[in-house]
Amino acid sequence: MIDQAGTYAFAGRKVKRLGYGAMQLAGPGVFGPPRDHDQALAVLRAAVAAGVNHLDTSDFYGPHVTNRLIREALSPYPQDLLIVTKIGARRGDDASWLPAFAPDELARAVDDNLANLGLEALDVVNLRLMFDVHGPTEGSLAAPLKAVADLQRQGLVRHIGLSNVTRTQFEEAREIAEIVCVQNQYNLAHRDDDAFIDALAAEGVAYVPFFPLGGFSPLQSATLSEVAAQLDATPMQVALAWLLQRSPNILLIPGTASVAHLHENLAAASLTLSQDAVTRLDAIGR
């Protein structure tokens, strides 16, 4: 089913453009254990059984929860499975999201990801900037990125990506290390990265939108609902299909804690939006 969405060259692999993000497998507020441990394992196994070979996670989800679930559900891992994780943040005892940029914090985060995933090296590590928790904010990323690049030289990290970054920060990063992906907030209603996506596409760099369906505040639009009704699809399927048609370098990682919802998301691969539908949907973000 998801083969209809196509593939993209990412981190030396050919990955399917519809993947899975594990964030929602942790407890409420992405903190603590899942509501249903067995269901969480079932979702991960169902994703891989459906052909997903791009899995997004982080050891600060829980913390430690989603990575341990991934290991329990999927290890030993399928040979073609690309696991992408994030570092640069930590969780407070009150579930707050805090920066963790110091070299020792980044090294510890890589060690924790390796231990909890049961890996000897991490396929892709995204450095998640935390100058502002809620969105990209200018500021030099040189110091933390050099620390991650050092971990790459040690063989603990194979490829490096960036998350929550501006185009200026991306250009700064490229002077330090090869960057294989950018992971920022982007969806039908949140379109700040339009020009950035096009620039990355021209250079063959993957763009992985987080909150593709709106995140903690799901997308709601009369236009989206109308287009979905005409296609006999759900609004969220249409929102994912729009992203797939937006640019070939966009890789999707919609998350869910439900097997039924997982299959519903993956079915977006079979949707084709007419130019009229795309034009109407484009207007939502304007």
Side-chain angles (χ1 to χ4, degrees):
M1 176 171 59
I2 66 172
D3 291 344
Q4 292 172 267
T7 61
Y8 192 75
F10 175 33
R13 310 274 194 92
K14 182 182 287 188
V15 301
K16 295 174 185 177
R17 292 184 61 214
L18 255 174
Y20 174 75
M23 185 177 77
Q24 292 189 34
L25 295 182
V30 201
F31 199 71
R35 292 185 176 91
D36 186 329
H37 184 92
D38 290 343
Q39 177 73 3
L41 300 179
V43 169
L44 288 162
R45 290 167 179 153
V48 170
V52 166
N53 65 353
H54 171 202
L55 200 62
D56 183 85
T57 185
S58 174
D59 210 53
F60 55 70
Y61 293 163
H64 315 305
V65 169
T66 60
N67 281 355
R68 290 171 181 169
L69 288 168
I70 288 168
R71 183 178 186 177
E72 182 180 353
L74 303 176
S75 181
Y77 300 111
Q79 193 168 9
D80 70 336
L81 183 64
L82 184 77
I83 300 177
V84 180
T85 190
K86 280 178 292 299
I87 60 176
R90 63 181 177 85
R91 306 302 296 278
D93 292 339
D94 59 353
S96 55
W97 303 80
L98 304 170
F101 280 168
D104 63 323
E105 291 177 306
L106 295 169
R108 186 162 56 250
V110 166
D111 286 344
D112 286 347
N113 275 279
L114 289 169
N116 288 316
L117 287 167
L119 294 170
E120 295 182 355
L122 300 173
D123 292 329
V124 182
V125 169
N126 286 325
L127 174 62
R128 213 288 187 182
L129 294 195
M130 294 286 288
F131 298 134
D132 185 335
V133 175
H134 303 292
T137 301
E138 295 294 359
S140 176
L141 50 61
L145 184 59
K146 286 177 181 177
V148 179
D150 186 54
L151 295 168
Q152 184 182 41
R153 283 188 287 274
Q154 294 175 39
L156 302 175
V157 172
R158 293 193 177 100
H159 300 276
I160 299 173
L162 301 172
S163 180
N164 203 39
V165 295
T166 67
R167 187 168 178 178
T168 299
Q169 288 163 334
F170 171 76
E171 295 300 338
E172 179 189 20
R174 298 176 79 192
E175 299 298 316
I176 300 168
E178 180 185 2
I179 303 300
V180 298
C181 64
V182 169
Q183 188 179 103
N184 280 2
Q185 182 178 359
Y186 184 81
N187 55 50
L188 261 175
H190 193 282
R191 303 277 299 277
D192 292 353
D193 275 358
D194 270 337
F196 194 8
I197 289 169
D198 294 339
L200 293 172
E203 298 182 23
V205 177
Y207 184 93
V208 186
F210 66 75
F211 293 167
L213 301 176
F216 300 113
S217 301
L219 296 171
Q220 296 186 32
S221 161
T223 299
L224 178 58
S225 296
E226 290 166 6
V227 171
Q230 291 168 359
L231 291 170
D232 193 25
T234 70
M236 297 302 98
Q237 286 173 327
V238 171
L240 292 174
W242 178 86
L243 284 165
L244 288 171
Q245 289 188 214
R246 168 64 183 82
S247 183
N249 66 322
I250 289 181
L251 306 179
L252 299 185
I253 50 167
T256 178
S258 157
V259 172
H261 188 216
L262 167 75
H263 289 303
E264 184 178 290
N265 286 340
L266 298 181
S270 63
L271 280 183
T272 301
L273 304 178
S274 68
Q275 186 53 55
D276 175 66
V278 171
T279 300
R280 293 171 65 197
L281 294 168
D282 281 349
I284 294 172
R286 300 197 190 106

